[in-house]
Amino acid sequence: MKKVMLKTSLGIAVALASSQLFASGFALNEQSVSGMGTGFAGRSSSAEDASTVFGNPAGMSRLKRDQMTVGGAAVIAKSDISGRGSNFGGETDGDMVPVVGVPMGYYVKKLDDQWSVGFGVYVPFGLVTDYGSDDAARFWGKKSHVEVVTFQPTVSYAFNDKVSIGFGPTFNRIKGELGSNLNNPFTGSQGEVKIKGDDTAVGYNIGILVQATDRTRVGLTYHSMVDYKLEGKTKVSYSVPGLINLDGNKFDASLKIKTPESVDFSVTHELDDQWTLYAGSTWTRWSRLKDITVNNELPAALAANPLGGAFGTITEEQNWHDTWAHAIGASYKVNKEWTLRTGFSVDQSPTNNTNRSPRIPTGDRKIFSIGAGWSPTDDMTIDVAYSYLWEEDTKVNNQPHSLTEAGLKGSYQAKYENSAHGVGASLTYRF
């Protein structure tokens, strides 16, 4: 019994659950509003503002003045759910992703013609899902809230006016909170599992920017893998008269998880003084995520209990695969004050039909974006962007693997039709 409880809570939700945000898996794309306007095409080659600290740290050398960029994005997701649902009943209204806010902030300072320094604060990974207390999916994943906040000090060096490099260590804080319901076939009531965990780990970003011709730039950025060990508490509320009483018990729990490395290659080409074209591809190594192993510290009496001992080491298969995202975009400089942008991108999902759950009900997606930049003075630019995402229909078919699991979680079958709107705004001020 307890094995099922922990697999439902800590294993899937802290590490992997995904809301309908604008990148594959549980990654986020919203680290730049100017980049959002072109569908993130040219992410590592454009270097439009201080958000290049994330997009390509080598791009800091291209900025002519000290500057600061601050902003945020909001994601409004929608899921239409149909199908059988749970054999325990419940609603399938699809309203499980609240409005999500994604903040960002960057600063770049020119030291001389070759050296630049900067820092950034952004959110590279995150999710929020909440199915509610009456939803059919609550036994397979009622609530998930996971976020990673990254602080990145950065330095860049320009060898000449053609080639520059940049590097920045990343200090990453991950925290998660989640919950799941459990059916109790012995009492006719429901139990609950809740988990909180966090960790801090270090990674790095490195990039190179090449001015290949007078009008063409090529960029390559590598975002490293980050290795976490989340530690927290698992709280279980579940009792079987005469067998075990776990009403409100808390246990130390730990989970090792690696957020994947990625490589972005981009090209920016200025057709003339008004039109600029962007293209890019991003590879993400989601195949690192083959399974999830949860380790729990049990008191001796519980470990010796035939039911309680199942709280020990738990493994769940995930078998995610590597993904590619491709994007194209364009911008048009109307005049000195206004620049208009648009872009289109396609993004693979790392999930598979066998292991997909209601926490990660996503499929391959397409995203259309528009944006604008307004510079009322040479010192200030305000960027805004809008994106619309739609996914291929995906199916979730979760079946119990034992009689115990059948009694606790039942089965869940549903078809998901996911879409989302994204809006963003940022302010860049030059000193």
Side-chain angles (χ1 to χ4, degrees):
M1 290 184 180
K2 276 72 77 176
K3 180 176 180 179
V4 176
M5 296 177 197
L6 284 180
K7 286 170 69 175
T8 302
S9 59
L10 180 60
I12 298 176
V14 170
L16 301 174
S18 174
S19 56
Q20 284 67 51
L21 300 177
F22 286 83
S24 66
F26 57 104
L28 301 179
N29 264 338
E30 290 75 16
Q31 292 87 29
S32 169
V33 175
S34 59
M36 186 177 176
T38 59
F40 301 102
R43 186 202 302 266
S44 61
S45 57
S46 57
E48 299 284 349
D49 51 44
S51 66
T52 192
V53 167
F54 173 84
N56 186 345
M60 295 194 307
S61 64
R62 185 176 179 274
L63 303 179
K64 303 303 181 184
R65 300 170 60 186
D66 300 348
Q67 55 189 267
M68 175 179 64
T69 299
V70 294
V75 180
I76 305 101
K78 177 178 174 57
S79 291
D80 292 324
I81 305 175
S82 60
R84 177 177 173 271
S86 172
N87 62 318
F88 293 149
E91 302 174 352
T92 54
D93 59 11
D95 185 19
M96 80 284 194
V97 182
V99 176
V100 178
V102 185
M104 66 196 79
Y106 307 92
Y107 174 75
V108 174
K109 180 174 180 58
K110 303 285 291 183
L111 298 181
D112 53 35
D113 291 340
Q114 291 181 300
W115 291 96
S116 298
V117 295
F119 65 83
V121 179
Y122 52 87
V123 182
F125 298 93
L127 69 101
V128 180
T129 57
D130 189 350
Y131 279 91
S133 58
D134 296 322
D135 198 282
R138 65 191 183 278
F139 300 104
W140 291 85
K142 177 183 175 182
K143 183 177 180 180
S144 306
H145 182 191
V146 179
E147 66 179 29
V148 177
V149 177
T150 296
F151 174 75
Q152 178 185 325
T154 311
V155 61
S156 72
Y157 178 78
F159 293 97
N160 47 48
D161 58 357
K162 300 292 185 183
V163 180
S164 60
I165 59 172
F167 171 81
T170 62
F171 301 91
N172 309 274
R173 180 67 175 174
I174 186 172
K175 63 179 181 178
E177 178 182 354
L178 53 112
S180 297
N181 283 9
L182 294 167
N183 181 58
N184 194 326
F186 299 95
T187 64
S189 61
Q190 291 185 15
E192 190 174 28
V193 176
K194 292 184 179 180
I195 178 69
K196 291 184 179 181
D198 55 66
D199 189 27
T200 301
V202 179
Y204 63 91
N205 294 344
I206 189 169
I208 182 170
L209 185 66
V210 178
Q211 190 74 41
T213 71
D214 290 342
R215 292 189 175 271
T216 304
R217 291 189 304 279
V218 178
L220 183 69
T221 304
Y222 176 80
H223 297 272
S224 77
M225 173 271 292
V226 180
D227 193 356
Y228 299 97
K229 182 180 180 181
L230 282 81
E231 296 184 344
K233 295 286 186 179
T234 298
K235 181 180 179 180
V236 183
S237 298
Y238 194 86
S239 296
V240 178
L243 294 177
I244 196 166
N245 184 350
L246 292 174
D247 283 336
N249 289 49
K250 290 185 178 181
F251 308 103
D252 292 336
S254 64
L255 166 67
K256 292 183 179 180
I257 179 69
K258 296 178 180 180
T259 52
E261 62 267 50
S262 64
V263 180
D264 183 276
F265 175 77
S266 299
V267 178
T268 297
H269 178 68
E270 299 172 359
L271 285 176
D272 52 37
D273 292 340
Q274 292 181 298
W275 284 98
T276 301
L277 303 180
Y278 309 87
S281 295
T282 302
W283 173 82
T284 305
R285 193 180 178 183
W286 286 115
S287 61
R288 282 189 177 279
L289 195 58
K290 297 187 182 301
D291 59 64
I292 301 169
T293 299
V294 183
N295 295 298
N296 306 283
E297 296 184 14
L298 308 180
L302 183 61
N305 186 298
L307 296 177
F311 272 108
T313 299
I314 296 123
T315 299
E316 180 150 337
E317 298 294 325
Q318 294 299 321
N319 296 313
W320 282 24
H321 58 79
D322 298 340
T323 61
W324 280 95
H326 307 288
I328 56 173
S331 66
Y332 178 74
K333 191 172 182 61
V334 180
N335 50 42
K336 184 179 179 181
E337 289 79 26
W338 284 96
T339 300
L340 305 179
R341 305 182 180 101
T342 189
F344 179 76
S345 56
V346 294
D347 196 1
Q348 293 178 318
S349 170
T351 62
N352 62 75
N353 293 330
T354 301
N355 303 117
R356 185 180 293 116
S357 81
R359 294 190 189 273
I360 47 174
T362 57
D364 295 346
R365 55 190 62 180
K366 300 179 178 65
I367 308 167
F368 171 73
S369 303
I370 56 174
W374 177 49
S375 300
T377 70
D378 291 339
D379 298 332
M380 183 173 66
T381 298
I382 298 173
D383 290 296
V384 294
Y386 166 80
S387 295
Y388 177 70
L389 172 152
W390 66 100
E391 291 187 353
E392 65 176 2
D393 296 349
T394 59
K395 293 182 178 180
V396 173
N397 183 14
N398 295 149
Q399 299 295 329
H401 295 93
S402 67
L403 291 176
T404 299
E405 195 170 34
L408 290 171
K409 298 169 64 175
S411 62
Y412 180 75
Q413 294 174 305
K415 183 177 78 170
Y416 285 74
E417 300 175 69
N418 302 320
S419 61
H421 303 272
V423 293
S426 67
L427 169 68
T428 296
Y429 188 81
R430 303 170 187 86
F431 304 93

